Amino acid sequence: MKRILAALVLAIAVCMPWTASADEGMWMLHQVPELQAKLAAMGLQLKADEIWNTKTNSGLASAVAWLGGCSSSFVSPDGLVITNHHCAFGAIQLNSTPEHDYITNGFLAKIPAEELEARGSRVNVFMGYDDVTAAVQGAVKAGMKPEERQKAVESARKQLVAECEKAGVRCSVAEMYGGAKFYLFRMLEIRDVRLVYAPPRAIGEYGGEVDNWMWPRHTGDYSFLRAYVGPDGKPADYSPSNVPYRPARYLKIATDQLREGDFTMIMGYPGRTMRYRLASAIAEDTDFTYPQQIKQLHDVIAILENENKRGKDVEIKLASQLKGLYNTVKKSEGMLEGLTRSDLVARKRAQEQQLAAWIAADPKRTQMYGDVLPAMEKLVVERRATRERDMVLGWLTGGRGGNLLSAAAMIERWTSEKVKPDLEREMGFQQRDERMLRQRMVNMQRNLDLPSERAVLRYSLRRASGLPAGRGIAAIDQLLTATGKSGDAAIDAALDALYSGSKLADLQVRQRLFDADHAAVLASGDPFIAFAAALRQDTDARQAADKRYEGEMLALSPKFFAALGVWRNAPLYADANSTLRFTFATVRGYQPRDAVIYTPFTTLHGVVEKHTGVDPFKCPQRLLDAARLGNLGRYVDPRLNDVPACFLSSNDITGGNSGSPIMNGKGELVGLAFDGDYESMTSDYLFSDALSRTINVDIRYVLWCMDYVDKADILLREIGFEPQHK
Amino acid sequence: MKRILAALVLAIAVCMPWTASADEGMWMLHQVPELQAKLAAMGLQLKADEIWNTKTNSGLASAVAWLGGCSSSFVSPDGLVITNHHCAFGAIQLNSTPEHDYITNGFLAKIPAEELEARGSRVNVFMGYDDVTAAVQGAVKAGMKPEERQKAVESARKQLVAECEKAGVRCSVAEMYGGAKFYLFRMLEIRDVRLVYAPPRAIGEYGGEVDNWMWPRHTGDYSFLRAYVGPDGKPADYSPSNVPYRPARYLKIATDQLREGDFTMIMGYPGRTMRYRLASAIAEDTDFTYPQQIKQLHDVIAILENENKRGKDVEIKLASQLKGLYNTVKKSEGMLEGLTRSDLVARKRAQEQQLAAWIAADPKRTQMYGDVLPAMEKLVVERRATRERDMVLGWLTGGRGGNLLSAAAMIERWTSEKVKPDLEREMGFQQRDERMLRQRMVNMQRNLDLPSERAVLRYSLRRASGLPAGRGIAAIDQLLTATGKSGDAAIDAALDALYSGSKLADLQVRQRLFDADHAAVLASGDPFIAFAAALRQDTDARQAADKRYEGEMLALSPKFFAALGVWRNAPLYADANSTLRFTFATVRGYQPRDAVIYTPFTTLHGVVEKHTGVDPFKCPQRLLDAARLGNLGRYVDPRLNDVPACFLSSNDITGGNSGSPIMNGKGELVGLAFDGDYESMTSDYLFSDALSRTINVDIRYVLWCMDYVDKADILLREIGFEPQHK
């Protein structure tokens, strides 16, 4: 039965282009009313406007907060936030020392005064959004060149943001459908965030890299934070006199049993999908981008694992970075495997041919849309010319050049931009960004480990020096030539000069330069500043090309999506872009391969079954004891006769959704989304009804761990549960 | 539901000692009538005496032949035999050359004249057996010492065999229940066996070592042989004038669809189980035997893989040996993992304590059985003293010393035994064994590769030289001392002397010495002969200890099994010992771990799904083409809408059962057993109703491959099917 179903779905996916599968779609909140009938039939007991009322700007969605890279939700009137352990990991790591190893042992604030400052963390509370397409597109005039078009749109966006932002409120204009639509989002940015409770890593990260992306899963991937505001109720810097934020809405924890087939909805902030990417661009990803990226990631992991051997303090400093690298490389490998095995390029190409044929079949359509696909195709091919250099450059300037290079680049750019009128500055370097940039300078201090930075930068310089002559990075060619040496000797000499001459490892030096003027910064003689300034010649050229590309796409996308919408004759959702989205589905297992069925719930029994006593399968003794004694309390599911640990649902999510609340038909919290399954990694490109699943930690396992393992009594009471342990 | 069932079964297994699970039991044929009611309820449509009639010595069982190490069955009136590809692998390898690579390409005799001699292969046809317990045990007199008891029983057994054997008929006395029962088995030994058809390795061994022991499985593990006899119908050496053997019974191929839950029965020749082994002996296996063995196996595999690099001819010579080593090491590792994880020692110990308590609870039982468990326990502990030496010695003399050492030992022993009256000779060196010993000398020539033999012998000598002083192997100590060197230099010098001085690599030399007298053999000056003669001092001492142990057990076992029988109050089956057994069950999947269900059928779709183009997942192009075109013919299961490839059943089998026919309730062939699942490897110690499964290749996949992939038209017609391919 299931096999036949799978075959059927595949057939549909192949034949019907860009058709949303049953549970596919990362919908914007104003689209929910269009889905109301289907949602009600599936089990949603709320009305669309209870999820979000666009007139009053209120509803359940305001309980769903963005942590920047992760999602979360309020679960008490006193600003208590629940998210994934891996989303709170930075805050846990920040407060850990070899003496107080909260990563290993977990952390529990018995009273609010014990809560720990999660420096640098942000809780962004959703306040609403407006369609500003007309205002943005109105800035574009006929006859503009692509780069002019891009600049006009960017200016309009900055203008809208500037008008919108006021004390504590952050605004952003999000581009949807490749620029066919624009929305202005408002978020309350709370910047006093504290760590309340994290289970031991052996629960919160149980299964580690072995189980990452895998089902069956037994990870208790949850943690609690709390949002604080000033006594006036407005966002404020950390202060002992701050008070818990009182959210407009918080989620009730479900007490009904969640079962296979039940309706589930997720709200959260998915980061990025490529559902409408052209086949030729996917081919580029498959043939070049992923293979190259995977090699680089493995190389850097090996370098850092080697650095790790220097001691426990280095290990703590590198933990978060390594965790991220492992996660990325596993995702990239799964993606590449999936893209190759599913022959996605050929399938996408077939779809495009069908769309092209449909357009060509009608003279009017041909006139309206006929040039779109060929023009988009041409842009993809053009970008291919510089791909080797772009990859190394992106890698270097995207953080893999180390913190000192990042700091140098940021200071050089900031001091050069800050003298301009605010609306003319580069995005990311406006007044509104100053606080974040300063915070970033502070944050980088906590994990600064120069030997490992140098090792990674050395790797990047070696790669850059291997680029074909004439297609390399000018700044690096200069850097190496200046040493008067060649090969590895030149690289090592350049690194010696950079690290012995730079003072940027000193926070005060960074802060002083940040406040200096650009000429003084350049005159500081810091070799990293000089290197960063030289690199900017390379990145500026790259950025100009990007802007030209964006300008071209701004003209093409509206036509492309218009054609697609008419062809499909159904609502279209936009690719993920870190804005709030709604996805609905059911609790549902899947068939990963011939003769294997994954059922949708794992259990506490399974947690213990995986325990080997060796990391990452080393349960805390108190968990084993409680399980052995059968202390399961009210958290037992009578059908499973056990505490459910994790569950699968067919919700459509991606990275950024981590920590998202998953809710039942009443809008009550039944768990937290924390992963996707390995078999559907390519769902960023193409959602599969048969294989795409969200992996959630079941709230009953969270509660059981809080109660019987960690005895978080006060916290349990705050979210409405009386502890049951003795 | 399944989880609860699994928990329940575990509970029973722990609480009820030696209780047969639902489908547990490797039954002797005369026990089938006791099971009749249960069998009929499960779906057997035959009467017990149709399976085997002990009065007429006839029935379905006579279609089930032993290949020596594997099982098989007749499937045509003209002596056509079906078995596993891995059972016919030796015959395929024997006929393969770099020019005619039947391993890779498969082999199909289009007409009988093209069939290839499978030199050394035997088809042993089951003729029946008798209970000879009284005759054997009658030879034991009260007051005999253990070694006398062993000798008396051995003599009686030899006597019975000698009286039974006549032209072509081989007899053997099998010991059951540790010597509580003895049965005289009769087999017709057919020694002209020919290879008829083997699919390409890419079908017959699809999945290779990666999938070995694993479900889901997609291996087409089948091949066909044919048994030939002289024109007089009697077994004869290979001759072109021989004629196909006409078996008393052959199996009809099922045409009904096999489904989940259907009754299945297997008859075959399981090699060895340890279902009644004491906890302390299992502890020895867990703590010492398996870990040591696994290390040795990995070491030898690494040595041979290295030798493999010398070329295709070496690769072909070592293929069969490496296949066996990989299989053994995977089994040993799974066994060790299973023994450890299931904590089998503790569970068995608990059972023994319950049995002991039950005995102790009654004075009469105490008198009858009270001394049994302590005495058996004592024997286990005594054998532990020499375990390191015994392991190396067993390894060396069990074939891992290389073919030259094996040949030398055989020649030395044969020439020393052959002058004795036949019934006084050591078992294995009687007149009845001469043909087989001669054949073995011939067979060893085909894969003789001295460099790899030397490398493995070097490894064994190094291990022996590492044994503690005073507990080593005297013959090896002498060998190394004689070189006048020490350490590895001594070993290399000894090997130089052995290999440069020996002429045993020459078949004619071996045959000449085999026919010489013992003194002449010793005087031949061949260094391997001298080494083997010296080693015999060590092995004789070991053998004497074994015989004493056997003598002790001959007295204890009848009491032990009597106590067990009364305690259990149910039929008891004997441990496997390569005699014909019957096991019944159903087609049934299992739950390998939390949230995962294995369904009982894989499909052709799954075969193609696993195809990566890289060995061992590299389907022949003609298979991919046929599957792609949907050429499935009558072999489709309408429920699966596909050709079933392999299936699971809960039959109780072990090594030796490979190639066994698996039959439906009508006694028709539905597939061939070829593996057990990884999760139940410890079923040799303890059968698990929840986890122990037989992996079978579905006859519908065999037929489909014959028809659409290999176009084995004549053979298909011989077994009753009209080909359907175009």
Side-chain angles (χ1 to χ4, degrees):
Chain A
M1 176 55 200
K2 280 212 137 190
R3 277 204 63 250
I4 295 164
L5 204 70
L8 205 72
V9 167
L10 188 68
I12 290 174
V14 170
C15 304
M16 301 269 289
W18 289 293
T19 300
S21 309
D23 302 328
E24 178 177 353
M26 300 175 175
W27 304 96
M28 290 183 68
L29 297 181
H30 69 271
Q31 296 181 295
V32 175
E34 294 182 67
L35 309 162
Q36 174 82 52
K38 188 173 176 187
L39 291 167
M42 286 175 71
L44 177 64
Q45 297 177 37
L46 306 178
K47 295 204 195 79
D49 67 0
E50 291 179 85
I51 298 198
W52 191 247
N53 186 320
T54 51
K55 293 194 183 65
T56 61
N57 277 322
S58 67
L60 201 61
S62 70
V64 184
W66 187 48
L67 301 183
C70 273
S71 304
S72 68
S73 54
F74 289 109
V75 286
S76 93
D78 291 314
L80 189 66
V81 167
I82 190 166
T83 186
N84 288 154
H85 181 269
H86 78 265
C87 293
F89 192 78
I92 304 167
Q93 182 192 24
L94 172 73
N95 285 290
S96 288
T97 59
E99 297 75 42
H100 294 283
D101 186 354
Y102 300 132
I103 297 177
T104 303
N105 306 320
F107 170 77
L108 175 62
K110 292 215 182 55
I111 50 166
E114 289 180 5
E115 294 172 5
L116 297 169
E117 184 189 355
R119 194 152 33 92
S121 294
R122 295 281 181 276
V123 171
N124 298 282
V125 186
F126 178 70
M127 297 172 70
Y129 64 87
D130 296 306
D131 186 342
V132 293
T133 309
V136 174
Q137 291 183 343
V140 177
K141 305 288 169 244
M144 277 182 164
K145 285 189 207 152
E147 43 273 46
E148 292 166 342
R149 203 152 47 219
Q150 190 278 335
K151 195 170 182 352
V153 165
E154 193 181 311
S155 294
R157 292 172 70 170
K158 284 183 196 160
Q159 187 70 43
L160 284 162
V161 168
E163 288 162 10
C164 170
E165 292 197 334
K166 54 177 179 286
V169 177
R170 295 285 284 183
C171 301
S172 61
V173 174
E175 178 188 287
M176 304 282 174
Y177 310 107
K181 284 276 188 183
F182 293 89
Y183 295 89
L184 179 69
F185 281 80
R186 294 179 303 279
M187 312 281 274
L188 185 71
E189 186 189 37
I190 298 181
R191 53 187 193 269
D192 181 357
V193 181
R194 306 193 194 167
L195 179 63
V196 178
Y197 163 49
R201 187 177 202 165
I203 290 176
E205 206 179 305
Y206 191 64
E209 285 312 317
V210 180
D211 271 8
N212 192 12
W213 295 97
M214 292 297 165
W215 187 259
R217 193 64 158 278
H218 298 84
T219 313
D221 198 350
Y222 70 93
S223 286
F224 287 88
L225 305 170
R226 195 185 301 277
Y228 281 81
V229 287
D232 60 353
K234 298 223 163 60
D237 287 335
Y238 172 82
S239 159
S241 63
N242 282 348
V243 297
Y245 170 69
R246 297 191 66 87
R249 288 293 293 269
Y250 67 89
L251 301 183
K252 186 178 168 304
I253 312 288
T255 49
D256 295 352
Q257 297 291 348
L258 186 74
R259 294 169 183 167
E260 183 162 5
D262 279 358
F263 173 84
T264 53
M265 59 182 177
I266 289 178
M267 283 190 277
Y269 298 84
R272 185 159 167 261
T273 54
M274 298 78 80
R275 296 274 166 81
Y276 305 99
R277 185 167 287 194
L278 291 192
S280 54
I282 301 176
E284 180 78 3
D285 294 345
T286 310
D287 301 337
F288 176 76
T289 315
Y290 284 118
Q292 290 290 316
Q293 194 183 58
I294 288 165
K295 192 196 162 347
Q296 287 181 353
L297 288 165
H298 276 299
D299 289 344
V300 169
I301 285 171
I303 289 167
L304 294 183
E305 285 288 7
N306 190 48
E307 296 295 322
N308 247 351
K309 293 178 190 150
R310 300 205 323 271
K312 184 78 184 169
D313 52 335
V314 177
E315 212 176 283
I316 289 177
K317 281 180 178 173
L318 300 182
S320 192
Q321 191 183 352
L322 266 169
K323 203 172 144 94
L325 287 167
Y326 275 118
N327 191 53
T328 308
V329 78
K330 193 162 186 177
K331 174 155 184 173
S332 298
E333 285 174 339
M335 195 73 103
L336 182 58
E337 187 188 325
L339 287 172
T340 310
R341 291 203 71 151
S342 65
D343 205 7
L344 196 65
V345 173
R347 288 158 65 195
K348 278 280 196 177
R349 189 155 284 144
Q351 292 179 354
E352 284 162 24
Q353 284 164 353
Q354 287 171 43
L355 175 59
W358 174 82
I359 293 171
D362 180 282
K364 208 170 145 197
R365 291 202 292 259
T366 305
Q367 198 200 342
M368 289 175 75
Y369 316 125
D371 62 339
V372 171
L373 285 170
M376 287 169 75
E377 190 74 29
K378 185 163 164 277
L379 290 177
V380 169
V381 174
E382 281 171 9
R383 287 165 73 87
R384 209 166 282 171
T386 54
R387 62 184 190 180
E388 281 84 6
R389 196 200 55 194
D390 292 346
M391 172 158 276
V392 180
L393 193 58
W395 178 263
L396 251 183
T397 56
R400 303 274 176 231
N403 282 306
L404 298 199
L405 182 58
S406 292
M410 186 216 287
I411 290 165
E412 192 277 329
R413 190 70 187 248
W414 170 253
T415 51
S416 116
E417 296 286 336
K418 69 180 176 183
V419 294
K420 301 179 189 169
D422 196 53
L423 288 179
E424 285 173 29
R425 295 193 206 167
E426 198 62 37
M427 278 169 89
F429 294 92
Q430 296 179 272
Q431 274 168 23
R432 65 192 289 277
D433 303 307
E434 182 171 349
R435 187 200 307 275
M436 193 201 61
L437 295 175
R438 286 186 185 278
Q439 184 64 51
R440 202 185 290 164
M441 279 195 299
V442 174
N443 288 354
M444 70 170 58
Q445 204 66 21
R446 69 183 178 203
N447 292 327
L448 200 61
D449 178 62
L450 294 183
S452 54
E453 293 211 355
R454 178 176 167 141
V456 175
L457 179 56
R458 181 175 196 276
Y459 170 78
S460 299
L461 293 181
R462 291 193 81 204
R463 280 193 73 92
S465 69
L467 287 170
R471 284 187 288 154
I473 299 168
I476 293 179
D477 293 345
Q478 291 157 22
L479 185 79
L480 298 182
T481 307
T483 64
K485 297 181 173 156
S486 68
D488 282 355
I491 290 168
D492 290 325
L495 289 167
D496 284 345
L498 284 168
Y499 284 95
S500 66
S502 178
K503 299 202 161 44
L504 294 182
D506 182 335
L507 174 59
Q508 289 183 329
V509 171
R510 293 199 296 276
Q511 288 170 329
R512 205 164 51 232
L513 286 169
F514 191 83
D515 290 326
D517 66 38
H518 190 240
V521 166
L522 291 182
S524 70
D526 194 287
F528 266 111
I529 297 278
F531 182 34
L535 262 179
R536 189 129 79 88
Q537 309 300 317
D538 294 281
T539 51
D540 279 353
R542 166 84 198 130
Q543 216 165 24
D546 284 347
K547 288 182 177 182
R548 248 189 331 274
Y549 174 82
E550 276 172 50
E552 299 272 18
M553 289 303 288
L554 280 168
L556 295 169
S557 287
K559 289 198 210 174
F560 175 73
F561 282 94
L564 210 55
V566 177
W567 187 37
R568 274 196 48 184
N569 191 27
L572 222 57
Y573 64 92
D575 263 322
N577 57 0
S578 296
T579 57
L580 185 60
R581 302 298 178 95
F582 173 88
T583 158
F584 60 98
T586 54
V587 176
R588 210 175 139 199
Y590 66 105
Q591 182 173 356
R593 55 192 187 280
D594 194 31
V596 181
I597 291 172
Y598 285 164
T599 57
F601 286 97
T602 59
T603 62
L604 176 58
H605 171 93
V607 173
V608 176
E609 192 177 74
K610 273 188 181 171
H611 171 81
T612 59
V614 179
D615 182 62
F617 296 106
K618 191 177 179 182
C619 292
Q621 191 56 45
R622 54 191 197 267
L623 183 152
L624 295 174
D625 290 343
R628 186 173 43 79
L629 294 170
N631 288 336
L632 308 183
R634 72 159 71 82
Y635 314 113
V636 170
D637 182 306
R639 298 200 174 197
L640 299 167
N641 193 26
D642 203 344
V643 178
C646 295
F647 68 94
L648 293 172
S649 64
S650 43
N651 293 86
D652 186 2
I653 65 161
T654 189
N657 268 115
S658 282
S660 293
I662 177 164
M663 292 157 278
N664 61 18
K666 295 178 182 170
E668 297 167 343
L669 191 72
V670 293
L672 306 177
F674 71 94
D675 208 353
D677 63 307
Y678 193 83
E679 290 80 2
S680 74
M681 233 173 244
T682 50
S683 67
D684 282 356
Y685 290 93
L686 186 66
F687 184 88
S688 159
D689 191 63
L691 293 176
S692 295
R693 294 293 178 274
T694 294
I695 302 179
N696 309 279
V697 57
D698 195 299
I699 199 67
R700 291 166 290 187
Y701 184 56
V702 174
L703 295 169
W704 181 82
C705 288
M706 292 175 76
D707 192 334
Y708 286 99
V709 182
D710 284 336
K711 306 197 186 340
D713 298 3
I714 294 176
L715 212 55
L716 270 171
R717 289 193 186 101
E718 182 175 348
I719 59 174
F721 289 82
E722 189 55 33
Q724 304 201 288
H725 69 82
K726 289 199 189 68
Chain B
M1 175 58 198
K2 279 212 140 193
R3 277 205 63 251
I4 294 165
L5 205 70
L8 204 73
V9 167
L10 187 71
I12 290 175
V14 170
C15 304
M16 301 269 290
W18 290 292
T19 300
S21 310
D23 302 328
E24 177 176 353
M26 299 175 175
W27 304 96
M28 291 183 67
L29 297 181
H30 69 270
Q31 297 181 296
V32 176
E34 295 181 68
L35 309 164
Q36 174 82 53
K38 188 174 176 186
L39 291 167
M42 286 174 69
L44 177 64
Q45 297 177 38
L46 306 177
K47 294 204 195 79
D49 67 359
E50 291 179 85
I51 301 219
W52 192 246
N53 186 321
T54 52
K55 295 194 182 65
T56 60
N57 277 323
S58 67
L60 200 63
S62 70
V64 185
W66 188 50
L67 301 184
C70 273
S71 303
S72 68
S73 55
F74 289 109
V75 286
S76 94
D78 290 315
L80 189 66
V81 168
I82 190 167
T83 187
N84 288 153
H85 181 269
H86 78 264
C87 294
F89 191 78
I92 304 166
Q93 181 191 26
L94 172 73
N95 285 290
S96 288
T97 59
E99 297 75 41
H100 294 283
D101 186 353
Y102 299 133
I103 296 177
T104 303
N105 306 321
F107 170 78
L108 174 63
K110 292 218 180 50
I111 51 166
E114 289 179 5
E115 294 171 5
L116 296 168
E117 184 188 355
R119 194 151 34 89
S121 294
R122 295 283 180 275
V123 171
N124 297 282
V125 187
F126 179 69
M127 298 172 70
Y129 64 87
D130 297 306
D131 185 341
V132 293
T133 309
V136 175
Q137 290 183 343
V140 177
K141 304 291 171 239
M144 275 180 165
K145 285 187 205 150
E147 42 271 48
E148 293 167 339
R149 203 153 46 219
Q150 189 277 336
K151 195 172 184 349
V153 164
E154 191 178 312
S155 295
R157 292 172 70 170
K158 285 181 194 160
Q159 187 70 42
L160 284 162
V161 167
E163 287 163 9
C164 171
E165 293 198 334
K166 53 180 183 283
V169 177
R170 293 285 285 184
C171 301
S172 61
V173 173
E175 178 188 286
M176 305 282 173
Y177 310 106
K181 283 278 189 182
F182 292 90
Y183 295 88
L184 180 68
F185 281 80
R186 295 180 302 280
M187 311 282 273
L188 186 71
E189 186 189 38
I190 298 180
R191 54 188 193 270
D192 182 357
V193 181
R194 305 191 194 168
L195 179 63
V196 178
Y197 163 49
R201 188 177 202 165
I203 290 175
E205 207 179 303
Y206 191 64
E209 287 311 318
V210 179
D211 271 7
N212 193 10
W213 295 99
M214 292 297 165
W215 188 259
R217 194 65 158 276
H218 299 84
T219 314
D221 198 351
Y222 70 92
S223 286
F224 288 88
L225 306 170
R226 196 185 300 278
Y228 281 81
V229 288
D232 61 354
K234 298 224 163 58
D237 287 335
Y238 172 82
S239 161
S241 64
N242 283 348
V243 298
Y245 170 69
R246 296 191 66 86
R249 289 290 295 269
Y250 67 89
L251 300 182
K252 187 178 168 304
I253 313 286
T255 50
D256 295 352
Q257 297 291 350
L258 185 73
R259 294 171 184 166
E260 181 162 7
D262 279 357
F263 173 85
T264 54
M265 59 182 177
I266 288 177
M267 285 191 275
Y269 299 84
R272 186 157 166 263
T273 54
M274 299 77 80
R275 297 272 167 82
Y276 304 100
R277 184 166 287 193
L278 292 192
S280 53
I282 301 176
E284 181 77 4
D285 294 345
T286 310
D287 301 338
F288 176 77
T289 314
Y290 284 118
Q292 290 290 316
Q293 196 183 57
I294 289 165
K295 190 195 163 353
Q296 287 181 354
L297 288 164
H298 277 299
D299 290 344
V300 170
I301 285 170
I303 289 168
L304 294 182
E305 285 289 6
N306 191 46
E307 295 294 323
N308 247 352
K309 294 176 191 151
R310 300 206 322 272
K312 184 80 184 167
D313 52 335
V314 177
E315 212 176 286
I316 289 177
K317 280 179 178 174
L318 300 183
S320 192
Q321 191 184 349
L322 266 170
K323 202 172 143 94
L325 287 168
Y326 275 117
N327 191 52
T328 309
V329 77
K330 192 161 187 178
K331 175 157 183 170
S332 298
E333 286 174 339
M335 196 73 103
L336 182 59
E337 186 187 324
L339 287 172
T340 310
R341 291 202 70 150
S342 66
D343 203 7
L344 197 64
V345 173
R347 287 158 65 193
K348 278 279 194 179
R349 191 156 282 144
Q351 292 178 353
E352 283 162 26
Q353 283 164 353
Q354 288 172 43
L355 175 60
W358 174 80
I359 293 171
D362 179 283
K364 209 170 145 197
R365 291 202 291 258
T366 306
Q367 198 198 341
M368 289 175 74
Y369 314 126
D371 63 340
V372 170
L373 284 170
M376 287 170 73
E377 189 74 28
K378 186 162 165 278
L379 290 176
V380 170
V381 173
E382 281 171 9
R383 287 164 73 86
R384 210 166 283 171
T386 54
R387 64 183 189 180
E388 280 84 6
R389 195 200 55 194
D390 292 346
M391 172 157 275
V392 179
L393 194 58
W395 178 262
L396 251 183
T397 57
R400 303 274 176 230
N403 282 306
L404 298 199
L405 182 58
S406 291
M410 186 218 285
I411 291 166
E412 191 278 328
R413 190 70 187 247
W414 170 254
T415 52
S416 118
E417 294 286 336
K418 70 179 176 184
V419 294
K420 300 179 190 169
D422 196 53
L423 288 180
E424 287 174 25
R425 295 193 205 167
E426 199 61 37
M427 279 170 87
F429 294 92
Q430 296 180 273
Q431 275 166 23
R432 63 192 291 277
D433 303 309
E434 182 172 348
R435 187 199 306 274
M436 193 202 61
L437 295 175
R438 286 186 186 278
Q439 184 64 51
R440 202 185 291 166
M441 281 196 298
V442 174
N443 288 354
M444 70 171 57
Q445 204 67 21
R446 69 183 178 201
N447 294 327
L448 201 59
D449 177 62
L450 293 184
S452 54
E453 294 212 355
R454 177 176 166 141
V456 175
L457 181 55
R458 182 175 195 277
Y459 170 77
S460 300
L461 293 180
R462 292 192 81 202
R463 280 193 72 92
S465 69
L467 288 169
R471 284 187 288 155
I473 299 168
I476 293 179
D477 293 344
Q478 291 157 23
L479 184 78
L480 298 183
T481 306
T483 64
K485 297 180 170 156
S486 68
D488 281 355
I491 290 169
D492 290 325
L495 289 168
D496 284 344
L498 284 168
Y499 284 96
S500 66
S502 179
K503 299 198 161 45
L504 293 182
D506 182 335
L507 173 59
Q508 289 184 329
V509 171
R510 293 200 296 275
Q511 288 169 329
R512 204 164 54 235
L513 287 170
F514 191 82
D515 291 325
D517 66 36
H518 190 241
V521 166
L522 291 182
S524 71
D526 193 287
F528 266 112
I529 297 279
F531 182 34
L535 263 179
R536 188 126 79 89
Q537 307 300 318
D538 294 282
T539 51
D540 280 353
R542 165 86 196 130
Q543 214 164 26
D546 283 347
K547 288 182 176 181
R548 252 192 325 277
Y549 174 82
E550 276 173 47
E552 298 272 18
M553 288 303 288
L554 280 168
L556 295 169
S557 287
K559 288 199 212 173
F560 174 74
F561 282 95
L564 211 56
V566 177
W567 187 38
R568 273 198 47 183
N569 191 28
L572 224 56
Y573 65 91
D575 262 323
N577 57 0
S578 296
T579 58
L580 186 60
R581 301 298 178 92
F582 173 89
T583 158
F584 59 98
T586 54
V587 176
R588 210 175 137 200
Y590 67 105
Q591 183 173 357
R593 57 191 187 279
D594 193 33
V596 182
I597 291 172
Y598 285 165
T599 57
F601 286 97
T602 59
T603 62
L604 176 58
H605 171 94
V607 173
V608 175
E609 193 178 71
K610 273 188 181 172
H611 171 81
T612 59
V614 179
D615 182 59
F617 295 106
K618 191 179 178 179
C619 292
Q621 190 56 45
R622 54 190 196 266
L623 183 151
L624 295 174
D625 291 342
R628 186 172 44 79
L629 294 171
N631 289 336
L632 309 182
R634 72 160 70 83
Y635 315 113
V636 169
D637 183 307
R639 298 200 176 198
L640 299 169
N641 193 25
D642 204 345
V643 177
C646 295
F647 68 94
L648 293 172
S649 64
S650 43
N651 293 87
D652 186 3
I653 66 161
T654 189
N657 268 114
S658 281
S660 293
I662 177 162
M663 293 158 279
N664 62 18
K666 296 177 181 172
E668 298 166 343
L669 191 72
V670 293
L672 306 177
F674 72 94
D675 209 352
D677 63 307
Y678 193 82
E679 289 80 4
S680 75
M681 234 173 242
T682 50
S683 68
D684 282 357
Y685 289 94
L686 186 67
F687 184 89
S688 159
D689 192 63
L691 293 176
S692 295
R693 295 292 179 274
T694 294
I695 302 178
N696 310 278
V697 56
D698 195 297
I699 199 69
R700 291 167 288 187
Y701 184 56
V702 174
L703 296 169
W704 181 83
C705 287
M706 292 174 75
D707 193 334
Y708 287 97
V709 182
D710 284 337
K711 306 195 186 340
D713 297 2
I714 295 175
L715 212 55
L716 269 171
R717 290 194 185 99
E718 183 176 347
I719 59 175
F721 289 82
E722 190 54 33
Q724 304 200 285
H725 68 83
K726 291 200 189 66

